[in-house]
Amino acid sequence: MAIIMDGNGRWGLKHKNSRNLGHKEGLKTVEMVMKYCMKKQIKFLTLYAFSTENWKRPLNERNYLFNLLENYLKERLEKINSEKIKIKILGEKIFSKSLNNLLNFAEKKTYKNSKLQINLALNYGSKKEIVQAFNKLKKKKKISENDIKKNLFTKNIPDPEILIRTGDTQRLSNFLLWQVAYTEIFFEKKLWPDFMNKDLNRIIKKFYNIKRNFGNI
Ligand code: IPE
Ligand code: IPE
Ligand code: MG
């Protein structure tokens, strides 16, 4: 399952007069979804947390987001590890030294875990990912689909079966363009901090009733 967690800013402005407090609230939904995946034995959860385009946002908001993540990991990494969750970062780590180190540490520490893999798309952009894959392959005479797949940040991660975007916006915003070729996509009206367990239940129920053709009949 992959999620574009959109709508924090609007939620924060509406309820707390602050976009940043919307991000803080959104973290609670992340925890809910993590628990949900553990319970339902969903093995891979890919979360879009910061795009290559999100650098356009004001410094104050960027810093708030990065601090939120840093503090969360400092507080929760032990617990995450004890729950056998594996953390993988998708995207180039070009943050503060302390956050870069912490992200590397979290990946290393949880590397062997296999209950649930959380892929955190951070400074992630699908086009950038595809371009860097091509650059790694440029010496090859002929490039196969598998070559590309193996050189994306998502190598060894199965393509998502479900993609959810909250926040009442119907676009992909440069997320997993290659990987969602046959993904079932759910656009949700609710803002991310309002997204709940029962919304996930509804989506998954709907997913199981979809006839997935993959080109066949
Ligand atoms: C969260 O939602 C996405 C992140 C970049 C963390 P937004 O911050 O885009 O919220 P809206 O779309 O402005 O409401
Ligand atoms: C997509 O949301 C990125 C994340 C959820 C991290 P945005 O809010 O940045 O997307 P756009 O700019 O509205 O397309
Ligand atoms: Mg948004």
Side-chain angles (χ1 to χ4, degrees):
M1 183 157 79
I3 308 183
I4 302 174
M5 312 181 287
D6 196 22
N8 287 348
R10 278 165 285 164
W11 189 97
L13 282 179
K14 188 172 158 205
H15 295 276
K16 315 235 172 204
N17 202 24
S18 148
R19 288 185 51 86
N20 286 345
L21 291 178
H23 293 307
K24 190 175 170 197
E25 193 70 20
L27 195 52
K28 294 182 190 163
T29 310
V30 173
E31 292 217 276
M32 179 278 286
V33 174
M34 278 165 61
K35 274 201 199 110
Y36 186 94
C37 290
M38 298 280 282
K39 205 171 130 205
K40 301 279 177 181
Q41 304 193 15
I42 292 167
K43 289 287 173 194
F44 296 88
L45 173 64
T46 303
L47 298 172
Y48 205 6
F50 194 86
S51 73
T52 47
E53 288 73 31
N54 287 145
W55 290 103
K56 293 176 191 160
R57 295 190 180 201
L59 184 63
N60 130 52
E61 181 165 339
R62 276 157 29 207
N63 282 342
Y64 188 90
L65 279 166
F66 299 148
N67 282 328
L68 197 64
L69 174 62
E70 193 165 337
N71 291 333
Y72 178 79
L73 280 179
K74 274 184 192 155
E75 242 175 62
R76 294 300 171 87
L77 187 58
E78 281 301 331
K79 188 164 173 268
I80 286 171
N81 189 41
S82 72
E83 287 171 337
K84 299 275 170 285
I85 295 173
K86 172 174 176 169
I87 305 229
K88 168 98 180 87
I89 308 299
L90 309 180
E92 199 190 341
K93 299 180 195 81
I94 50 163
F95 314 102
S96 67
K97 213 173 193 170
S98 65
L99 182 54
N100 293 342
N101 288 340
L102 184 58
L103 293 171
N104 284 328
F105 178 72
E107 284 187 310
K108 227 172 159 179
K109 190 173 170 79
T110 62
Y111 186 75
K112 290 211 173 99
N113 294 342
S114 60
K115 177 114 173 75
L116 165 67
Q117 177 167 338
I118 295 181
N119 309 302
L120 201 57
L122 254 191
N123 182 33
Y124 174 88
S126 199
K127 288 194 174 178
K128 205 168 183 188
E129 176 187 40
I130 292 168
V131 168
Q132 65 83 34
F134 276 45
N135 274 316
K136 280 199 240 162
L137 291 164
K138 67 185 167 198
K139 295 239 165 71
K140 282 197 101 173
K141 251 205 203 111
K142 206 162 177 237
I143 297 171
S144 70
E145 226 174 79
N146 206 36
D147 289 329
I148 295 173
K149 196 173 159 175
K150 289 290 163 217
N151 282 283
L152 298 174
F153 298 134
T154 51
K155 68 169 177 214
N156 304 326
I157 300 170
D159 288 344
E161 293 180 294
I162 295 176
L163 169 66
I164 300 167
R165 179 176 188 140
T166 58
D168 201 19
T169 304
Q170 309 200 355
R171 57 176 172 253
L172 294 177
S173 302
N174 203 10
F175 189 49
L176 303 179
L177 301 181
W178 171 277
Q179 296 86 340
V180 299
Y182 266 106
T183 299
E184 304 301 331
I185 303 182
F186 297 85
F187 292 109
E188 291 290 304
K189 278 218 162 66
K190 279 191 182 176
L191 304 174
W192 178 244
D194 290 328
F195 190 70
M196 291 184 348
N197 229 290
K198 65 167 196 249
D199 300 308
L200 275 172
N201 277 332
R202 169 180 40 83
I203 288 167
I204 286 173
K205 200 171 162 203
K206 203 166 166 196
F207 170 79
Y208 279 118
N209 283 311
I210 294 171
K211 183 167 174 275
R212 303 186 77 202
N213 291 338
F214 299 101
N216 209 329
I217 53 170

